């Protein structure tokens, strides 16, 4: 591993059937060729990316090398870009590509992209011949700090987020923060929302760092963004090690998500980014938490100030729902369908204080009051 890389690991309990995920964060330019196209490689590899990422110079040149080398072991598939392509059909397209090229259980799938690509690639790996290895090269801030980490896979189904999926962690995650500079504004701020969520859940220091470095964050300063990625990766790795299958404290990572996933579904998948929806969901959870005497006023006000300083929509019914008839009840109905609920009662993650989360069953009548 390059000596410039920061390395972390997620170690899994023996009963999970997995060993560990190695994470490396590199401060140099992306070099997929030396990572995956060495002459010593003798296993079949399928690289999965999307039409946007495939046009980035570092990825485009890498795919060209696969074409020009005419290697027997290396293949790629380019899928459509965006949430609307996170479908079971595209998961099966990955499987079909592997089948057509005689992949076996010793082969490797590599997802190069954001959360959509990572989730689908790992899902395909988990079901291909009952499971093969998967690696990630995340290319979005959202994937760097959250989506690529922790082993959750899946795709959307019937307009609901991640309704089909498995737990299937990557063996290796190779992060190049340089990709952040190429992100469109909405994708950058989507990932930033997950970073703010992680900070609010686990670290007063990281929360303060985000407040103090607002201008550098907006400018995508390399040192500042690398620090945020490193700290978020550490926090999520620690949480996943303790609770791989989300039986207890890993549920905290869903702060803002029960509200946020409902917004994505009701607005129409892809209408708002995942991070924008999570930011709105965090504010709804904090409003509700303060109303119920769970969240301190100071905590609510601090998080709201951070969210609004970066331009997130925190209104009770966001602009994305303008013109949606009976939006409040549609949101509530979507929250009941959230995969994290095990009963008719909706579970909400609240912040008592920064770095002090709690998960509680919440009545429908209280939830409706914050829309």
């Amino acid at each position: 591993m390059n000596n410039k890389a920061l390395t972390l690991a997620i170690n899994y309990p023996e009963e999970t059937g997995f060993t560990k995920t190695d994470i490396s964060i590199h401060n140099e330019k992306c070099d997929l060729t030396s990572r995956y196209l060495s002459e010593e490689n003798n296993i079949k590899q399928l690289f999965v990316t999307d039409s946007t990422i495939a046009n980035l110079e570092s990825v485009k040149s890498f795919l060209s090398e696969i074409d020009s080398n005419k290697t027997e072991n290396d293949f790629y598939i380019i899928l459509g870009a965006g949430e609307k392509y996170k479908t079971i059909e595209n998961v099966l397209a990955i499987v079909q590509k592997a089948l057509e090229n005689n992949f076996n259980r010793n082969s490797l799938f590599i997802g190069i992209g954001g959360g959509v690509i990572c989730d689908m690639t790992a899902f395909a790996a988990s079901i291909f011949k009952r499971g093969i290895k998967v690696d990630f090269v995340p290319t979005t801030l959202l994937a760097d700090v959250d989506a690529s980490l922790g082993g959750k896979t899946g795709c959307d189904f019937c307009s609901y987020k991640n309704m089909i999926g498995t737990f299937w962690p990557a063996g290796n995650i190779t992060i190049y923060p340089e990709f952040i500079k190429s992100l469109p504004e909405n994708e950058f701020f989507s990932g930033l929302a997950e970073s703010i969520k992680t900070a609010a859940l686990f670290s007063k220091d990281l929360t303060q760092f985000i407040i103090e470095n607002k201008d550098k964050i907006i400018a995508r300063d390399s040192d500042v963004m690398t620090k945020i990625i490193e700290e978020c990766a550490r926090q999520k790795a620690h949480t996943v090690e303790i609770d791989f299958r989300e039986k207890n404290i890993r549920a905290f990572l869903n702060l803002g998500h029960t509200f946020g996933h409902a917004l994505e579904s009701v607005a129409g998948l892809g209408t708002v980014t995942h991070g924008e929806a999570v930011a709105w969901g965090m504010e709804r959870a904090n409003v509700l938490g303060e109303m119920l005497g769970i969240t301190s006023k100071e905590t609510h006000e601090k998080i709201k100030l951070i969210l609004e300083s970066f331009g997130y929509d925190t209104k009770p019914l966001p602009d994305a729902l303008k013109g949606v008839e009976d939006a409040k009840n549609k949101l509530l109905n979507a929250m009941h369908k959230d995969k994290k609920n095990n009963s008719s009662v909706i579970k909400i993650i609240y912040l008592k204080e920064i770095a002090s989360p709690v998960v509680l069953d919440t009545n429908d009548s209280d939830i409706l009051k914050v829309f």
Side-chain angles (χ1 to χ4, degrees):
M1 189 62 65
N2 191 296
N3 59 15
K4 293 181 180 180
L6 172 77
T7 58
L8 306 167
I10 305 175
N11 296 292
Y12 303 108
E14 184 177 349
E15 65 269 17
T16 66
F18 304 107
T19 53
K20 68 173 181 172
T21 296
D22 287 315
I23 304 165
S24 58
I25 303 172
H26 299 256
N27 59 10
E28 74 272 17
K29 289 187 176 297
C30 174
D31 183 6
L32 296 175
T33 299
S34 61
R35 176 72 179 84
Y36 285 108
L37 298 186
S38 67
E39 293 181 0
E40 293 77 23
N41 175 50
N42 58 4
I43 64 168
K44 287 185 180 289
Q45 300 180 125
L46 175 59
F47 300 92
V48 183
T49 191
D50 67 37
S51 55
T52 298
I53 302 304
N55 281 314
L56 296 178
E57 189 54 42
S58 59
V59 179
K60 188 175 183 179
S61 61
F62 172 70
L63 298 180
S64 295
E65 286 196 53
I66 294 176
D67 287 332
S68 61
N69 287 340
K70 304 289 192 249
T71 63
E72 296 181 358
N73 291 328
D74 301 309
F75 306 85
Y76 65 85
I77 181 172
I78 300 173
L79 303 174
E83 189 73 31
K84 70 179 181 179
Y85 294 100
K86 194 177 184 182
T87 64
I88 189 65
E89 289 79 14
N90 273 329
V91 172
L92 295 178
I94 299 169
V95 170
Q96 182 175 349
K97 183 76 173 181
L99 281 172
E100 289 172 350
N101 291 284
N102 300 315
F103 276 53
N104 58 44
R105 294 188 71 182
N106 294 318
S107 302
L108 176 67
F109 289 176
I110 305 99
I112 307 172
V116 170
I117 288 295
C118 291
D119 280 5
M120 290 198 297
T121 304
F123 188 19
S126 74
I127 61 176
F128 180 74
K129 299 192 174 180
R130 297 201 173 112
I132 67 169
K133 294 179 180 178
V134 65
D135 282 3
F136 295 146
V137 182
T139 61
T140 66
L141 180 57
L142 178 63
D144 289 343
V145 302
D146 186 77
S148 71
L149 305 163
K152 288 183 178 180
T153 83
C155 63
D156 304 335
F157 191 69
C158 291
S159 297
Y160 294 105
K161 288 276 292 185
N162 300 324
M163 280 294 111
I164 309 173
T166 57
F167 285 91
W168 199 258
N172 296 280
I173 301 173
T174 308
I175 297 173
Y176 295 97
E178 68 153 291
F179 279 119
I180 292 172
K181 295 187 181 298
S182 67
L183 292 176
E185 286 287 292
N186 65 333
E187 288 298 332
F188 173 74
F189 284 102
S190 180
L192 181 61
E194 286 282 5
S195 306
I196 294 168
K197 177 212 75 176
T198 300
L201 279 171
F202 301 118
S203 177
K204 292 180 181 180
D205 289 344
L206 182 57
T207 300
Q208 191 61 33
F209 181 83
I210 290 171
I211 293 171
E212 293 174 355
N213 288 276
K214 174 194 162 189
D215 292 341
K216 288 184 177 181
I217 290 169
I218 291 173
R220 309 189 198 187
D221 178 87
S222 295
D223 290 340
V224 168
M225 295 312 304
T226 298
K227 178 178 174 60
I228 290 172
I229 291 168
E230 289 175 0
E231 186 58 29
C232 287
R234 279 195 185 94
Q235 295 293 349
K236 185 156 187 181
H238 175 69
T239 304
V240 171
E241 280 188 351
I242 295 171
D243 181 22
F244 177 61
R245 296 195 183 274
E246 200 173 304
K247 299 298 184 183
N248 44 74
I249 70 166
R250 185 171 178 175
F252 293 152
L253 294 170
N254 294 308
L255 175 66
H257 282 61
T258 300
F259 284 104
H261 284 166
L263 172 58
E264 289 183 84
S265 294
V266 175
L269 293 178
T271 301
V272 295
T273 67
H274 176 68
E276 289 170 332
V278 168
W280 174 81
M282 287 175 63
E283 171 61 8
R284 291 305 93 210
N286 285 338
V287 169
L288 183 54
E290 185 178 351
M291 183 184 79
L292 296 175
I294 301 164
T295 303
S296 72
K297 182 178 181 180
E298 180 185 6
T299 297
H300 177 198
E301 289 180 347
K302 178 173 278 194
I303 300 301
K304 184 178 183 181
L305 182 63
I306 295 171
L307 295 174
E308 291 183 345
S309 73
F310 287 109
Y312 297 107
D313 190 341
T314 61
K315 294 188 291 294
L317 285 178
D319 291 341
L321 294 181
K322 281 184 177 177
V324 175
E325 186 177 349
D326 197 25
K328 295 181 181 181
N329 283 308
K330 286 180 178 176
L331 286 167
L332 184 66
N333 182 58
M335 291 173 75
H336 273 288
K337 287 184 170 61
D338 191 278
K339 63 187 180 299
K340 297 178 291 297
N341 289 319
N342 296 319
S343 68
S344 60
V345 181
I346 295 173
K347 293 184 181 297
I348 302 291
I349 292 83
Y350 298 98
L351 287 174
K352 294 189 289 184
E353 307 283 347
I354 291 174
S356 182
V358 64
V359 55
L360 297 170
D361 291 344
T362 307
N363 295 325
D364 289 5
S365 58
D366 289 328
I367 292 172
L368 285 169
K369 291 175 184 176
V370 302
F371 293 144

